[in-house]
Every structure is written in structure tokens, then in C-alpha cells.
Amino acid sequence: MQPQHVAGFIAEIQKALASNWSDEQLKALSDRTIPEEVSGQHSWLLRGDLSTMWGRWFIESLVDLAPFQLDSRLNIAHVHARVLAYFNQVSPHAPKDEREKYARTLTDFAWQLVQARRDRTRLAITAAMRDELWAQAQPIPRCYLCGFEFGAAARNKFLGESGDLPVVPSLVDFTRPRARAAHICIEVDHVTPVAQGGKTEVQNLRLACGWCNSVKNRYTNIYDAIPWASGIVTLPDLGAVTQPQPLWVLRTVATRRRCEASQGCLARIEDAELFAAPRNAKGALTPVNVAVYCQEHDPWAVARWIGPQRLASALVK
């Protein structure tokens, strides 16, 4: 770590926050390179998600997709015409064939977004689909997003063999509070959300715990969550701790998919439940400081568990 670079970057952030509605300080901040230490061990996730978000924003700044979503008479040629018009305007001296080539690349992406918006049909999950997904998840069916192992009651309800809900555990993880019976039930998740054109086909379906499924919702990007924490929880062993945004925890665990214990560990999401804990024990569980651990190496293996009612009363907004 080079402290001077980090300190200089944070000083620029402080100036920008002090005059957050002034372009001068924000422009100065945008010119600085973000030190690698600031983005943490999962910088690839933060940068990758940021890039996809910027890419979508840019495409939709060239072509408003709303008319294409609503009017099926509009096709990919209409999209291409608008994108090409943009290149003709900003790069009139570039060779015509190059402008058309680059326009086609952007058009293909824009049309993919259009088709996803048009095809937002959520079909019913059939009994046959449930049976097939359950069979594919053997020998130990788990949530594909966090590795949570499904219990017998959840299995019976999912397969329609019983209407009884699973019993909520007496203790829940405050970073992933499965505090209701629905949170530990088995649900079918669309890997590519229906809102983005995902099909209700077995290839696009996975088993997920109710908590992960509700948090994931239609989101695919860590920045889809509001950029501040959920609140403050006071825990017996940790004292006052920031409760992280659920999507921060879910996105990090579901993409890393393995225990990150420094001593080495073979636990993967396919065979173990994984948990989020801070890399720096004194810091809050932000996307920069989230590390992923199995139960054996979890530094919060005991401290994270709290009764559901106590969690609700301990939360300070």
C-alpha cells in the first residue's frame, strides 16, 4: 500500500463531498486514478459491474428503447439507423465502413436490450420443472447463490408433498437474516431475470433460498442497491455494527463462490454454505471490505447469529 496515494484520493473525496453540487470539485475527483487499495480485493466485481452499468446508460443515451419496447413494428434496422446517425455526427471524418461496423456492434447490444424488454413473460413453474430442478441439485440440494442447504420441510413443500412451512431457526445471520419461514423455503430463481428477457426454461432456472431470491429479484449489478448500509445492529459479541445492504452480501458471495481463507480452503458454494465477513475486522461490511468464508473459517462463526426478534429490536435506522 502507498499511503500517500490513498490519503490524496480521500482528501479529494472530502473536498467533493463538501461541495457536492459543484462541478469543479467533482471534475477534479474524476481526474484522479482510484488507488487499487481503495477498491479492495474484489475490485474486479466493482469495476465490472460499473462498466456494465455505464454501457447500458450509454446505449440508452443514443437510443431511447421505450418506443421499441412498445411498438413491435419497429425493428433492428430502426435502431441501427439511430446509432449510425450518432457516429456520423461525432465522427464524420472516419471511414464510412468503420462507422457502420462500430454502429452494428452497438446496435446488436441495444437490440438485445429491446428484445429482453419485449419478452417479459413470466410463465408458471410446472411440477415437472420442479422435479427436474430437484433432481439436478442432488446429492445435497443447496441455494445456488449462497450454498444454504435445504431442509426436509422445505423439500416437501417445494415438491408439493406437504403444505407445512419450515420452522424458522432460533438464530439468524444478521448479514443475511432469514427471519421468516419464506426465507428458508425453496424457490425457483431465473438466472437471467424475466425483466431482462430471461426464459422460464430449466436451463435458466436454479433453486434458491427464499431470502436470496427476494434480494436478487431482478437485479444483476451491485450498484442496483442504494449506496448506503441498511442500519446499525447491536450484537452481544461485536457491539454496534453496520448491517450491510443485502445485495452487497448476495452479489459478492454469489460471484466469488468460494472460501477466501488465507490459509487455503477447498470449500465452494456447490458443497458448503458461504458467509460474508469483513476482511478488515475493524471496518464495516461494505463491498470494498467483504470477504467470503465457509463456516469453518468464518471469523464471525459465532458472533453473527442473533434471534429474529432481537435483530428487529436491535436495528437502528
Side-chain angles (χ1 to χ4, degrees):
M1 175 183 286
Q2 300 185 28
Q4 69 273 24
H5 293 165
V6 174
F9 180 71
I10 297 300
E12 289 290 348
I13 290 178
Q14 187 176 9
K15 292 178 185 176
L17 290 175
S19 52
N20 199 36
W21 297 95
S22 168
D23 65 348
E24 183 178 348
Q25 291 298 337
L26 290 173
K27 287 178 180 177
L29 177 62
S30 69
D31 288 337
R32 293 191 70 101
T33 300
I34 301 175
E36 196 65 32
E37 299 85 355
V38 172
S39 56
Q41 295 293 319
H42 297 146
S43 60
W44 52 269
L45 170 59
L46 302 183
R47 296 176 190 276
D49 274 1
L50 184 62
S51 296
T52 59
M53 182 174 67
W54 280 5
R56 288 199 296 263
W57 285 352
F58 176 69
I59 288 294
E60 295 191 50
S61 74
L62 305 185
V63 183
D64 188 340
L65 302 183
F68 295 88
Q69 177 183 342
L70 299 178
D71 189 350
S72 60
R73 294 171 297 178
L74 297 176
N75 57 42
I76 191 171
H78 297 98
V79 176
H80 180 70
R82 298 192 186 187
V83 175
L84 183 59
Y86 165 78
F87 280 108
N88 290 339
Q89 178 182 356
V90 300
S91 303
H93 303 298
K96 180 180 178 182
D97 62 319
E98 290 187 1
R99 278 179 275 151
E100 292 179 345
K101 174 184 175 182
Y102 300 142
R104 281 195 297 273
T105 299
L106 271 65
T107 297
D108 288 343
F109 182 42
W111 189 244
Q112 178 182 334
L113 297 176
V114 170
Q115 290 181 307
R117 292 187 179 190
R118 286 181 176 179
D119 192 15
R120 292 179 175 178
T121 305
R122 182 180 292 276
L123 302 177
I125 307 297
T126 66
M129 286 179 175
R130 291 174 181 269
D131 290 340
E132 185 172 351
L133 290 169
W134 183 257
Q136 289 180 357
Q138 300 303 317
I140 301 178
R142 296 176 179 275
C143 171
Y144 88 105
L145 294 167
C146 73
F148 175 72
E149 183 178 341
F150 300 122
R155 178 251 182 215
N156 294 340
K157 187 174 189 310
F158 177 71
L159 296 178
E161 297 178 5
S162 171
D164 296 336
L165 291 171
V167 177
V168 178
S170 57
L171 297 175
V172 298
D173 173 8
F174 83 95
T175 72
R176 188 167 48 211
R178 299 188 184 96
R180 295 188 289 118
H183 291 164
I184 55 177
C185 282
I186 304 172
E187 296 186 1
V188 177
D189 180 60
H190 290 73
V191 179
T192 300
V194 174
Q196 296 183 18
K199 305 290 187 181
T200 305
E201 300 172 347
V202 171
Q203 298 91 323
N204 187 46
L205 303 176
R206 298 291 186 278
L207 301 185
C209 68
W211 188 89
C212 283
N213 193 38
S214 64
V215 171
K216 178 176 178 283
N217 201 322
R218 60 187 179 87
Y219 305 130
T220 58
N221 192 300
I222 203 167
Y223 300 103
D224 288 336
I226 56 176
W228 53 82
S230 295
I232 299 172
V233 176
T234 302
L235 302 172
D237 296 331
L238 298 177
V241 222
T242 297
Q243 186 181 33
Q245 274 293 337
L247 191 61
W248 295 349
V249 173
L250 175 63
R251 182 82 173 131
T252 306
V253 171
T255 54
R256 193 64 181 101
R257 305 186 69 81
R258 60 157 298 166
C259 178
E260 297 180 307
S262 58
Q263 59 269 49
C265 180
L266 297 179
R268 300 292 189 273
I269 207 166
E270 290 78 15
D271 54 39
E273 183 173 0
L274 300 179
F275 301 88
R279 197 175 298 275
N280 169 24
K282 299 297 184 182
L285 209 57
T286 68
V288 173
N289 194 36
V290 172
V292 181
Y293 298 101
C294 68
Q295 187 173 20
E296 179 182 352
H297 296 115
D298 178 14
W300 282 356
V302 175
R304 70 172 62 250
W305 302 101
I306 187 172
Q309 293 183 344
R310 184 171 183 179
L311 176 65
S313 62
L315 191 62
V316 178
K317 292 295 187 183

